[in-house]
Amino acid sequence: MKKIAGICFVLFMACSWHIEQAQANVPFQSEVQETDRGAEPNDNEHDLYIDGQLQTYAGSPVFENGILYVSIQAAVQVINEKAEIDQDVPYAEESAFEFLEENDYIEEIEEQEVVRVSSLQELGIQAEWEDNPGRLHLETADLLTVDNLRIGDTLNEVDEKLDVHWNTGYGQPADYIGFHGDMHEFTYQDRYGEERTGDVPDMQLEITDNELTYMIFSSSDFETARGVTVGDSLFDVRRAHGSEYIEETIDGKTVHIYHVNGGSLWFIADDNNDVERIGIWAFQIEGYER
């Protein structure tokens, strides 16, 4: 739980920001209550993830003659999910199976219908293979992005895309902490159960070793790659990002955490289960990496 404590400390800095002094006022420590850890990995030799969601019924990725394949079920699912967020794809208006069949994407290995991962990449699906343990990530969009910003961008790249006021991260591991836009009131419970209120910016960013390591936004002007924004409900979050997530209760807030390839997405909701803030991180909670 060491990683989550550090992340939560930054994520829930509901305070009055003294930007000109290059530091925030009244940061506080969160006490994390562990609730639901979501689905556990299956026992297959190789795991398959679609948009960070472990696939337990679509079969494992397979190698044949040095070529990586997925089952037809997995191929149809990822194509359908891609079409939901991108109406410009050529298969948006027809059956995914029929599209794959008509264009000769379907092959057969040991009496199982499969599709090459390279073919899915040609159709706009992002794919990355990871070793130890073997796992394949298929993604319908770059999930570590907000608009044209991406985790891993350099300081200069961020400055070219967004007007940010940068402060040196005094007393912190970050090189720079950035703020963009207007301030919003944010209410939370401190460690004693007392309600406190502070201000948070439209967007807060961190640069470490010249790489963007997190983005936290509190404005509906920004949205995730799958279209979720501040003001949406946790039901909307689950519909867009899936049912496999980590749930935490932190400072009176319900937090749904999605691990995706290379990082995580955090959705912070109020008592009505409406999203107040969204965080995108280059980190994952220790013990639950994927």
Side-chain angles (χ1 to χ4, degrees), residues 265-280:
L265 287 75
W266 294 50
F267 298 89
I268 303 96
D270 61 16
D271 291 341
N272 296 318
N273 285 333
D274 292 326
V275 175
E276 293 183 299
R277 304 187 78 192
I278 299 173
I280 300 182

Side-chain angles (χ1 to χ4, degrees), residues 38-67:
E40 293 298 322
N42 60 26
D43 294 326
N44 291 335
E45 182 179 356
H46 303 313
D47 286 327
L48 171 64
Y49 296 94
I50 296 178
D51 284 341
Q53 298 286 287
L54 178 63
Q55 306 301 303
T56 57
Y57 302 106
S60 299
V62 295
F63 285 97
E64 182 72 15
N65 296 323
I67 299 173

Side-chain angles (χ1 to χ4, degrees), residues 89-281:
V89 294
Y91 41 83
E93 301 298 329
E94 65 175 299
S95 158
F97 179 83
E98 291 178 358
F99 175 85
L100 292 170
E101 187 176 45
E102 291 168 359
N103 290 275
D104 297 324
Y105 286 117
I106 301 176
E107 302 178 47
E108 190 171 296
I109 296 176
E110 297 181 355
E111 300 182 352
Q112 178 187 11
E113 290 184 315
V114 295
V115 175
R116 297 187 184 203
V117 171
S118 59
S119 297
L120 294 177
Q121 290 176 293
E122 293 172 3
L123 297 173
I125 306 299
Q126 298 186 34
E128 184 172 347
W129 175 263
E130 299 283 352
D131 289 314
N132 300 319
R135 59 204 185 277
L136 173 65
H137 283 272
L138 298 178
E139 293 186 333
T140 58
D142 192 337
L143 301 177
L144 298 181
T145 61
V146 174
D147 290 349
N148 58 351
L149 294 172
R150 189 189 190 285
I151 293 297
D153 282 351
T154 65
L155 179 63
N156 287 339
E157 288 172 333
V158 174
D159 281 336
E160 290 173 357
K161 301 170 184 177
L162 195 69
D163 180 20
V164 181
H165 183 104
W166 295 106
N167 296 317
T168 304
Y170 295 122
Q172 303 177 49
D175 299 322
Y176 297 97
I177 304 293
F179 306 93
H180 166 80
D182 298 326
M183 306 303 289
H184 302 265
E185 184 177 276
F186 185 73
T187 303
Y188 61 95
Q189 292 180 5
D190 65 19
R191 62 189 306 170
Y192 304 106
E194 298 294 327
E195 187 172 282
R196 299 180 64 182
T197 300
D199 294 320
V200 292
D202 281 346
M203 175 81 78
Q204 179 179 332
L205 311 95
E206 176 189 78
I207 297 288
T208 303
D209 296 331
N210 200 32
E211 289 189 359
L212 181 61
T213 49
Y214 75 67
M215 299 174 279
I216 308 170
F217 56 100
S218 310
S219 167
S220 58
D221 291 340
F222 302 98
E223 63 180 32
T224 71
R226 294 197 61 83
V228 176
T229 190
V230 169
D232 289 341
S233 68
L234 287 180
F235 174 81
D236 297 323
V237 172
R238 292 189 294 270
R239 184 172 57 185
H241 287 275
S243 59
E244 184 188 345
Y245 54 86
I246 299 165
E247 180 172 301
E248 301 284 353
T249 300
I250 307 172
D251 298 323
K253 306 293 184 181
T254 298
V255 187
H256 285 187
I257 305 166
Y258 288 83
H259 281 190
V260 300
N261 186 28
S264 58
L265 287 75
W266 294 50
F267 298 89
I268 303 96
D270 61 16
D271 291 341
N272 296 318
N273 285 333
D274 292 326
V275 175
E276 293 183 299
R277 304 187 78 192
I278 299 173
I280 300 182
W281 295 80

Side-chain angles (χ1 to χ4, degrees), residues 9-17 25-28 186-188 196-200 277:
F9 179 80
V10 176
L11 193 58
F12 289 93
M13 268 189 197
C15 53
S16 298
W17 296 101
N25 184 30
V26 199
F28 63 96
F186 185 73
T187 303
Y188 61 95
R196 299 180 64 182
T197 300
D199 294 320
V200 292
R277 304 187 78 192

